[in-house]
Every structure is written in structure tokens, then in C-alpha cells.
Amino acid sequence: MNPNVPQEVRIINAISEQLFNSWPVSIIMIDLEDCIWRLNQQVMNELQLNEHVIGRHITDLLEVVCDKKNVLEALLLQLRERDVRIIPLDTNCFIRELKSGISFLIQGAMVGIHEDGQLVRIVLYFRNVLEERTQKHLLNIALSRTQIFQWSFDMEHNLMIIEPRYFEYLGIPTRDYTLTPEEFAFLIHPDDRKGVFDALALQLRGNLYERPVEYRLRRGDGKWEWFEAQSTYVGQLTDLPFRIIGICMSTQKYKDTENKLNEALQKAQRSDELKSVFLANMSHEIRTPLNAIVGFSTLLACGDADLSRQEIMEFTSLIEKNSQLLMVLISDILDLSKIESNTMEFHFEKVSLNGILESIYSAQKMNLRKGVELLLDLPDRAAVIYTDPTRLGQVVNNLINNAVKFTAEGRITIGYRLKDFATLEVFVEDTGTGMSEEVLAHIFERFYKGDAFVQGTGLGLSICKSIVERLGGKITVNSEFGVGTTFNFTLPYNIIKKVADTTEGMQSSLSSQSSQLSQSSQPSDLTEQPSNETPQEQIPEKQACILIAEDTDSNYDLLNAILGKNYRLVHAHDGMEAVIMYDEVKPDLILMDIKMPNLDGLEATKIIRELSATVPIIVQSAYAYPQDQKAAKEAGCSDFISKPIVQSELKKMLNKWLSPELNNKIQE
């Protein structure tokens, strides 16, 4: 130790030496002959050098490679001969030790050390950034293939700093890839701003809030896109964080997928609900005509001598009518099965569209109720088309039957018109009740019924739609509630020519079609049936009075045929009428249907139970599942009998609930 050196200098030198060897930065000091003058411990560790290299030319030991070229000599020359003090090494620069072959990516600089204006030393310092650059590069690759963006909040300058891809992705301009809080707030949907800034405010106050925040951002095209952001803070100088960093990610595609899945789920749930309703409805629709068939058949089979010839004919007619209803129901179910399995057969041939519609008109006009007129609107020139006449007839008949159900008076018009040179449009127009917007939205869905009290499976229009599409057309509907409805469907068409209706072959074909279409025509409650109600004066006043709540006339006719000679019957056509008539008549027993318009049987039962806790109320319904019986019991019904009604079971039930003085114990 030189005693002439001041203590302060010695201390500074000691500190410098300690720092020189402890710094995590590699340092090589070079003299003016390009020889290594000094190097620190870090560079010896990284490049596996030792102090024996001191005094050797640096170019014999190392290479500095930039863009695949060794630039070490050029850099040294530049520092010696030009007025350059520092040369950065921060872009794609490598250091390589020639003997061992050790190399890695570096960031640093070459610096000229001057004394009295003269260059005295050159310092090469660098830091190994291979791992850092590798991780950053991998992250950038990953992020570039996603809609994930890095951001930070500069507390000092009150700025959001966001990577360039963010602005490119959203299609919004930027000055320097920064946003003020006001600019950022403008991009956020008004409904989401509070949630975003509440979370940010918590972190700005030093609270650790790392839960994701969802919000919508305004794109450059004005559209909104869903994002999710998550952040945390970096360090604290005071009670406040130094900086907030985070990522944000576009979640729009996930939202879209989620929405599609929700729609699919809702559709599946709706389909499941509709199928459940369909099964319950099918039970009701099958049991209702079956009730009349079984009941009247039993009456006829018993050979009751009191039956008049008129009653026998009437019972036979009702059996036939309800048998036809069952056939239509079964046909719809079979057609649905064929459509589901793609096995519905089609047989295309050249046919006269005029001839088909005329045959349908002739068959259908016999089924209309009083006050309803069926009209035929055909062009003068008949169109010959290539189609399946049976399936086409099925569609038209179904549309007419549907119109009949909802047209109490007025007219139903069928016909067709030329829509364009290649398309015909068939229409079925009525002046009936029309449909609401809600019904129109679901009218072609399977199992859907716009009016639960109208007979049918809810399959007819769905089947029509499938058939029309198979025929190469499209079906649509226009309706105004209270005014009427028009169904239109298109058919492909190429040639129009005059058809000789007198041709033997064509007449034979039309005759066959007419027969098929007549058989497939849905029977309807169109003709007024003569009442089978027993005159009340014929029934002794001491006999029990039974109120029958039943909206289907044939079912009431059956009950009247079974009970009318032994009991005094009162007929209510719906639940509301049943409540009013109960209060007026005070019957001894009530036979209550469940499915009725205006007020269903269960709701009517609840109201009647407020008036009387003792009057027997027996549900007679085509809904025969256990849950239906449970619902009837909970509503206050005394007993339950399912349709089709067996006469002996019904009589047992009446004998059970009617007191002996009111019941004449009819024979079972």
C-alpha cells in the first residue's frame, strides 16, 4: 500500500475494485493496441476466461457478431479514429469466444474512455440477454396468434401504455401507443365503465385486486367487442403502487360460442319441453276420440232396447267420425317418423294442378259448417307440373283443415297463381281468427299448437313444411289477428299448357287422387249433431243432478247416452260456465274435464271448492298420467276416471259418491 496516496483515494479505488468484480455485467477493458488490459469476474465466468488472457489481442480471443458479421475490429477502429464516444450493442448482437465456442446474445456497448481529450482506453461491456430475449420472443409469438395484449398504467404520467397490436386489432389511431384515462374511458361501453374504473381505483389505492374484469370496447368501425382484463401492481414507493401492469384479451369469440351454446341449449330445452307437451297432448288427443268410440260401441253392444233407431244411427256416426280422427292422428305420427328417418317416399309424375285442386275442393266442401263457404280460384290455363300428387294433396288438405278449425264464418279460398316463369304459388286463404305474432313465430315448429283447445297433434304444419321443401318449394304464412290467415307455398314450374280434362288416363288419375284425398281429409266438428239429451221432464226430480263440464260435444253425447235416462244432466261447455252453472243449479255431483277453454277444469275446481267443500267432483280426462291425477287431487277433486271411459267403472264411481236416496243404483 502506497502511503503517499490519500486515504480517500484508496477508499474510492477499493470500492471501484469491489464493484468492478461484483457487477452482474461483463466488462473488458482494452488498451490502444487492442490488447486486453483488464476484465472482471463476470466475463471470466460467462466466457470461461482467466487472467492469462490479459495482454493478448482481443480479436484473437473474441468475436462480436452483428447480423452474421464479425464487427469487433471495425468497432475498435471507429472508436480510435473517429470522434465517437459510445457505440450501442442492442440489436441482434452476439459475443463468441473462439476457443471454446461459447456464444450468446448480448446487449451493451463499446465506450471510449478519454483523458484530457485523448482516448486512453476502450471498454466493452455487455449483458447476456439470450434467455430474456428467448422468453420475450416466445411470448410475442404466442401473443401474436391470440387476441391477448399487454398494458401498464404509468402513475407518474397518468397514461395507459398498450402494445401496438392492440390498436391495430381494434382499428383505432394512436399517437405513441398510449391512452389517457379519458381516452380509454371513451372506448369502454357506458354500462361497463364503472366496473372497470372501480377495479383500477382499488389498485391505484394499493389494494391487490387481481380478479378478471369484463367489459366492451368500441372498435374503429363502431362495433362493440367483449374483452377481459386482469392486472396487478408492481412495487410500492409509498402507500401507493409504483406501476400497474396487466393483460387484456378479446373474449368475443368465446361470447359468440357461449351464445350459440345457450341458443342450442334453449332450443334443446324447448324441443324437450315441446316433446313432453306433445306426449301429453297425444295422450289426450288419442283418448278423446277413443273415449267416444269405446263408449258408444259399448252402448251398441249392450243391445239396450231403449235405444231408438235414430240414436243407433247417431252413435254409429259418432264412432265413424272419431275413428277418422284417430286415423289422422296416427298418420301424422307415422309421417313424422318417416321424416325423422328420411324414409318418406315421393313419387313424381306429370299432373294437372287444376285437376288436383278441383278434386280437393269437391271432397272438402262437404265438410264445411254452416256459414262457411269454400271457394276455388284457378287460372284459365291449367298448369301441368312434375310433382307428387299424393303429397301435394296432403299439404293442401292439411291447410284447408287447419283453416276450417279457425273459421267460424266467412270463406276459405284455395287456388294458385303464376309467381314467375319458373315458380307457381299455391294459396289457402281464410277469414278466420288469424294468429298473433307470437304464434306466427313458432307455427311451423314440431309439436307446437297455437291453440291448445283445438284438436290436433301440433305436427300438421311441420309436416307440410317438410313435404313442400321435398317438393322443391317454400311455405310461408301471413296473418292478421281477427282478420284471417293466408298460407302460401311455391312449386317448381316449367311448362304451361292446356290440359284435356276429358282424357281417359287423366280422368282415371284424378279419380284416384280424389279418393285418396277424401280419405285423408280430416273430419271436423262441422255439421250440427242432433242432441241426444234426454228431456228433463222425463227424469224424476228425486234423481241426482249431475253437472258435466265437457267442451267436446261427442264426449258429452256419450255421457248423456250412458247417464241421461237415470240422472238429471246439466252441460257446461267450459270451466267458467261450470262455475256459473254450479252456483245456479247446485248439482249433486260434477264430472269435470281438465282441458277446456276460458278456464280449465282444475282452476274451475278450485273456485267451486270455495263455494262447496263437499260436492263430489270427479275428473274425467284424457290426461291420464300420474302427475295429472296428482294435480287433480291437489286442486280439490274427489276422484279421477280416465278416458276412454268404461261404463261399468263410471257407474261404480257414481254409486260410490252419490248418496242412496239420490242414486237409483243403476245396473253395472
Side-chain angles (χ1 to χ4, degrees), residues 190-206:
D191 296 343
D192 305 328
R193 288 171 190 165
K194 186 177 184 302
V196 173
F197 282 95
D198 283 353
L200 184 61
L202 282 173
Q203 290 188 335
L204 291 175
R205 292 194 295 266

Side-chain angles (χ1 to χ4, degrees), residues 352-372:
S352 166
L353 186 54
N354 281 41
I356 291 176
L357 296 183
E358 287 169 357
S359 298
I360 295 173
Y361 169 79
S362 299
Q364 285 279 5
K365 69 179 181 180
M366 306 300 295
N367 294 328
L368 297 179
R369 62 166 60 97
K370 292 181 180 179
V372 180

Side-chain angles (χ1 to χ4, degrees), residues 151 203 209-213 228-232 245-248:
W151 65 272
Q203 290 188 335
Y209 184 92
E210 295 184 335
R211 292 196 299 272
V213 179
E228 183 178 282
Q230 191 168 1
S231 60
T232 188
I245 60 172
I247 60 170
C248 59

